[in-house]
Amino acid sequence: DGGITQSPKYLFRKEGQNVTLSCEQNLNHDAMYWYRQDPGQGLRLIYYSQIVNDFQKGDIAEGYSVSREKKESFPLTVTSAQKNPTAFYLCASTPGAGRGTEAFFGQGTRLTVV
Amino acid sequence: AQSVTQPDIHITVSEGASLELRCNYSYGATPYLFWYVQSPGQGLQLLLKYFSGDTLVQGIKGFEAEFKRSQSSFNLRKPSVHWSDAAEYFCAVGPNQAGTALIFGKGTTLSVSS
């Protein structure tokens, strides 16, 4: 079945460490997105990519980095510069980056700083 | 600026009672509107979407929503709530052009009492 796979489901990070969250899709979608979810805050856009080797910052990009070397993969790195990384991270994709395209979501990764 | 407002943070409904979740949007063009549902620790699932045409749209799990341009609203309804409907519900708008992403409200948590 086609879908979006995020791994790991749970991730623990020590202070000062960088960690990378994986997102893979086999839907042949062009656009991919990373959202951060905190209680009561809804989903906030971190980064998105419309095509391979291109990406744009979202509303809360500071302390995060991404790459898009392959169409099916869009990993997110949470760097030590992100001061409050504990959150639920959701990856999504859309068929294109055009108008009215619905987003398909992965199951999320819960990151906790220990 | 584009935005989505879900005025109710938390709603409790008795099982079998009707449900209405409110969503108001601010958007500069014809909006593309979505409702998603999220169970705890999971990704988001699309309930329904409005692109154009009939302003009353039907979705999965017995949900429907009505687009009212004059009120900038897209409220979600269900005639009879089941205990399994307890979840968090998100309204989203966009994208209206290439290079943009969905904008989400902060969500409404639905509890169902027996």
Side-chain angles (χ1 to χ4, degrees):
Chain A
D1 289 337
I4 300 177
T5 301
Q6 290 187 240
S7 62
K9 188 171 178 64
Y10 299 97
L11 186 58
F12 298 90
R13 190 194 95 168
K14 293 181 179 180
E15 295 278 356
Q17 276 186 338
N18 292 355
V19 291
T20 297
L21 284 60
S22 171
C23 178
E24 304 277 334
Q25 54 99 358
N26 60 3
L27 299 167
N28 198 33
H29 285 178
D30 289 323
M32 297 185 74
Y33 309 81
W34 275 106
Y35 290 91
R36 171 177 170 147
Q37 185 178 17
D38 298 281
Q41 295 296 314
L43 276 70
R44 293 183 290 171
L45 183 65
I46 304 172
Y47 269 99
Y48 63 103
S49 168
Q50 301 175 69
I51 57 172
V52 174
N53 293 322
D54 187 48
F55 47 82
Q56 290 77 40
K57 292 182 179 180
D59 300 320
I60 57 166
E62 185 174 353
Y64 300 96
S65 66
V66 293
S67 63
R68 187 88 186 276
E69 297 177 359
K70 298 185 296 182
K71 185 176 183 178
E72 60 269 24
S73 178
F74 191 41
L76 173 74
T77 296
V78 184
T79 75
S80 57
Q82 171 50 239
K83 298 306 179 187
N84 185 22
T86 295
F88 191 56
Y89 291 86
L90 286 161
C91 179
S93 69
T94 58
R99 303 178 65 184
T101 48
E102 67 187 77
F104 294 78
F105 283 84
Q107 293 300 296
T109 293
R110 183 165 298 281
L111 174 63
T112 304
V113 174
V114 296
Chain B
Q2 302 155 5
S3 65
V4 177
T5 301
Q6 294 181 245
D8 304 306
I9 297 173
H10 190 189
I11 284 182
T12 299
V13 175
S14 298
E15 190 169 16
S18 63
L19 169 70
E20 182 170 30
L21 302 182
R22 296 183 291 164
C23 173
N24 294 97
Y25 66 88
S26 173
Y27 210 66
T30 300
Y32 298 88
L33 296 160
F34 307 83
W35 274 100
Y36 285 86
V37 62
Q38 183 184 36
S39 298
Q42 301 296 314
L44 274 67
Q45 180 184 22
L46 181 70
L47 283 175
L48 48 78
K49 58 189 177 185
Y50 171 77
F51 288 173
S52 64
D54 193 346
T55 57
L56 184 64
V57 295
Q58 302 297 320
I60 63 172
K61 304 184 180 186
F63 286 92
E64 66 179 26
E66 185 171 13
F67 170 61
K68 293 185 177 180
R69 185 186 299 275
S70 62
Q71 298 177 20
S72 297
S73 69
F74 188 56
N75 294 350
L76 182 72
R77 302 194 294 245
K78 187 170 185 178
S80 178
V81 169
H82 188 262
W83 64 266
S84 60
D85 293 323
E88 190 159 20
Y89 292 80
F90 292 95
C91 182
V93 64
N96 72 330
Q97 59 184 10
T100 60
L102 285 177
I103 299 169
F104 287 85
K106 293 188 175 182
T108 298
T109 299
L110 173 65
S111 298
V112 180
S113 61
S114 56

